[in-house]
Amino acid sequence: MIGNHLLQHRELSATAIGVAAYIQSLPEGAPVGIKALVARFPEGEMRMSSALRELERHGYLERRRERLETGRVVTRTYSYNKPLTTPNEPPPPPDPEPVPLPHPEPQRITDPEPQPAHPGAADLLANLRRHDPRLLLAERDVRRLAPGVSAWLDRGADPEAIGLALTANLPEPMRSPASVLAYRLEALLPPHLPQAPQPRPIRRPDPFQTCDGCDRAFRAPHPGRCRDCPPLPAVAA
């Protein structure tokens, strides 16, 4: 069994990974020196020596100088299935099993409820045909454009002013009247308009009366004499 920590190692060369896998497959006591590896594989001594140094640097091999009973000093190579952090230290413990995290429930996204259109928006759109016969809209176009007209009305725009803004200087030719109206409703949307002042009451002039003294016409709220005729003498009760 060869771990992925060796086969998927990011810093080891392909030669070093192959040499490590081969050494781990050998029985204990098998020769794994440079000469034995060169005799087994086509790679030369320089590549084998470099591969062994890589494995030793990353903790997969440890080469020790030991003295035999005969007094001869030899180099003994130790192979580790798990890499050592430093020589003579036990292999690190295996990584803990990952704990599965609960999957959060997906949040339900609800579309916002459409705002009701202004009561007079549909009638305003339907009456645009009186300004231009090409503006005879389909019912679905009226439903689609009614919220845009409602935004104008909610901001205080006068219905007559909206009709003029939508129908003035229409393009020639006009392929899609509904698209032209949709663009104007969005592009020409006015700001919130202040409330218009209350109109002053119109004072009508007094009606014409016939003077009782000279029969001349004059304006007065009630019948009587004009200002040029002397008033009648007061009659005692």
Side-chain angles (χ1 to χ4, degrees):
M1 300 294 294
I2 301 177
N4 282 336
H5 56 82
L6 172 61
L7 300 179
Q8 302 293 335
H9 204 287
R10 294 284 185 177
E11 300 181 11
L12 291 176
S13 63
T15 303
I17 293 174
V19 169
Y22 170 73
I23 291 176
Q24 292 184 18
S25 69
L26 296 175
E28 185 177 355
V32 291
I34 296 178
K35 293 183 179 180
L37 295 174
V38 170
R40 171 64 178 80
F41 297 102
E43 284 79 6
E45 291 188 7
M46 293 185 61
R47 293 189 63 182
M48 287 300 177
S49 177
S50 175
L52 292 177
R53 286 196 301 269
E54 289 183 50
L55 296 174
E56 188 175 12
R57 184 167 61 252
H58 291 284
Y60 287 96
L61 287 183
E62 183 185 3
R63 289 186 284 190
R64 303 179 188 172
R65 301 282 289 180
E66 298 181 356
R67 186 180 297 275
L68 302 179
E69 295 180 356
T70 60
R72 182 185 173 189
V73 177
V74 297
T75 300
R76 194 179 299 271
T77 302
Y78 294 88
S79 174
Y80 299 101
N81 295 335
K82 288 277 190 176
L84 296 175
T85 54
T86 57
N88 301 324
E89 287 188 2
D95 297 334
E97 293 293 333
V99 178
L101 298 177
H103 294 284
E105 295 183 0
Q107 297 181 355
R108 296 181 179 179
I109 302 176
T110 57
D111 296 333
E113 296 183 359
Q115 297 295 328
H118 195 278
D123 293 340
L124 189 150
L125 290 167
N127 288 327
L128 293 179
R129 71 188 190 281
R130 303 181 185 276
H131 299 271
D132 193 318
R134 296 176 297 173
L135 297 180
L136 179 60
L137 302 174
E139 183 178 359
R140 63 178 182 179
D141 292 331
V142 172
R143 289 198 303 266
R144 180 168 63 92
L145 298 174
V149 177
S150 299
W152 284 59
L153 294 172
D154 293 339
R155 296 194 175 193
D158 184 78
E160 185 177 357
I162 299 175
L164 292 176
L166 296 179
T167 58
N169 300 322
L170 291 173
E172 292 286 351
M174 186 169 52
R175 296 182 179 179
S176 176
S179 299
V180 174
L181 297 177
Y183 172 77
R184 292 191 174 189
L185 286 172
E186 182 179 357
L188 304 178
L189 180 65
H192 288 279
L193 303 176
Q195 187 176 5
Q198 295 292 335
R200 295 181 179 181
I202 300 175
R203 185 179 180 278
R204 299 183 178 277
D206 295 332
F208 284 101
Q209 309 290 345
T210 301
C211 178
D212 295 338
C214 62
D215 292 333
R216 187 172 59 180
F218 69 99
R219 289 185 180 273
H222 304 288
R225 290 180 173 238
C226 65
R227 59 185 177 181
D228 293 334
C229 294
L232 292 174
V235 179

